[in-house]
Each structure stands twice: as C-alpha cells, then as structure tokens.
Amino acid sequence: MPIKTHIRTIEDHPKPGIQFRDITTLLKDPVGFRLTIQELEKHYRGLDIDKVAGIESRGFIIGAPLAFALGVGFIPIRKQGKLPAKTKGQDYDLEYGSDRVEVHIDAIEPNDKVLVVDDLIATGGTAKASIDVLEALGAHIVECAFVIDLPDLGGHKKLEEHGYKVHTLCAFEGH
C-alpha cells in the first residue's frame, strides 16, 4: 500500500494556486499511519541517534511515535512563546513576513545525534531554522526525515546543499 495514496490534495488552500497536501487522511487510517512510522523506523533502525526532534505541529505526530519506536528521546520544536522554560530560538523568513522556532535549552546534550522530522518539506525554511537552533545548542544532525517532499519548491535540495542528508517517503510535483 503506497503511503502517497492516503494523502489527499486540497486545491487552492490556503490561497489560490496552492495544492495543500493533507496528511490527516493518512493519520486516520490505522494501517497507513502504522506503515508510515514503520517505514521511517526501518530506515533509521541501527543508526546512532540520541533524539528525534519534531517540528510543530505535524512533526510531533510523526516524530513522537518514531522516537518511541527507536527507543530514543523526543524534542518538540515549537513556534515562538509556546515552551515554558528557557529557550533558544531562530528566526526565519516566510513568503510574507517572518516566524521563529524555539527549543528548550536543556533539550540537547553536547553532541547529541538528532534526527529532525516533519510531515512535509517545501521551501526548507522552517526545517533549516530548526536545524540551526538545534546545532546552536550543540546537536549533530544525523538526517532530516519527511513524509512528503515537494521537490518543485526546492527545500530538499536546499538542505542537501547545506550538507544535510534528507529522507522522504513520497513526493508530489507542483506547489
């Protein structure tokens, strides 16, 4: 059962011309969701990983069960102001404006080997900002994992050009 067949496309969301790749249809299917986590676990089983870092919010949904399956810790990467303890943050640009991701400063031990996870890689801005803040705290990024790649938006390539390995389960052409 290809994972891609369980992801629906919503036309013109959040604005005209955008094709939103919605994983909620994958998540509601117990077989599809299980296969997604199992495919990622199979890829990362046996690698030296200390923690999985999930990018808010769908990265939590994929990252937490993956961390559990791998027997490692989980780090939530949140939007600004969502974490209660002292944080380290990284600003990044959006199409219209900017945003910020934050991580608790005690989430990383020096030289922790971290797998960064999200549901989708588009332009790579959020993923790169997440990597930057994790590295600023002393993490070594093992790889970045995404369920969906939107190759036409260049994020996968951008991360690889910065020297990061990227693994995706499926790709959709277009925006």
Side-chain angles (χ1 to χ4, degrees):
M1 177 204 73
I3 289 168
K4 187 173 181 176
T5 63
H6 290 275
I7 298 167
R8 84 174 140 198
T9 299
I10 300 179
E11 301 289 335
D12 299 320
H13 180 80
K15 63 182 188 176
I18 301 294
Q19 297 178 49
F20 186 83
R21 308 306 178 172
D22 180 20
I23 67 162
T24 62
T25 47
L26 174 66
L27 299 174
K28 76 176 183 176
D29 181 282
V31 174
F33 187 33
R34 183 178 305 112
L35 285 174
T36 299
I37 302 305
Q38 288 173 339
E39 284 297 310
L40 290 169
E41 179 193 8
K42 183 170 62 174
H43 183 78
Y44 293 106
R45 176 64 57 202
L47 291 183
D48 191 11
I49 296 170
D50 297 308
K51 294 178 180 136
V52 172
I55 301 172
E56 186 170 347
S57 65
R58 291 176 299 272
F60 298 175
I61 298 168
I62 304 300
L66 178 58
F68 178 82
L70 293 172
V72 301
F74 177 77
I75 301 168
I77 301 172
R78 304 279 332 248
K79 299 291 184 183
Q80 184 173 6
K82 302 285 186 167
L83 292 169
K86 189 171 180 184
T87 62
K88 174 89 174 150
Q90 178 68 44
D91 295 322
Y92 62 100
D93 292 327
L94 298 167
E95 188 175 353
Y96 300 105
S98 64
D99 210 342
R100 183 176 181 85
V101 291
E102 296 179 338
V103 175
H104 277 140
I105 61 168
D106 61 358
I108 300 290
E109 298 297 323
N111 299 310
D112 269 351
K113 292 169 257 352
V114 178
L115 171 63
V116 177
V117 176
D118 205 356
D119 69 319
L120 181 142
I121 179 76
T123 64
T126 306
K128 182 63 171 84
S130 298
I131 290 166
D132 290 346
V133 74
L134 291 166
E135 288 183 333
L137 290 170
H140 168 72
I141 306 304
V142 174
E143 196 162 300
C144 301
F146 306 92
V147 176
I148 303 167
D149 183 13
L150 301 179
D152 293 350
L153 296 180
H156 186 142
K157 184 177 178 183
K158 175 182 177 179
L159 293 181
E160 287 180 335
E161 287 171 351
H162 280 94
Y164 301 103
K165 293 180 183 178
V166 178
H167 176 68
T168 61
L169 297 182
C170 66
F172 287 89
E173 303 300 320
H175 296 93

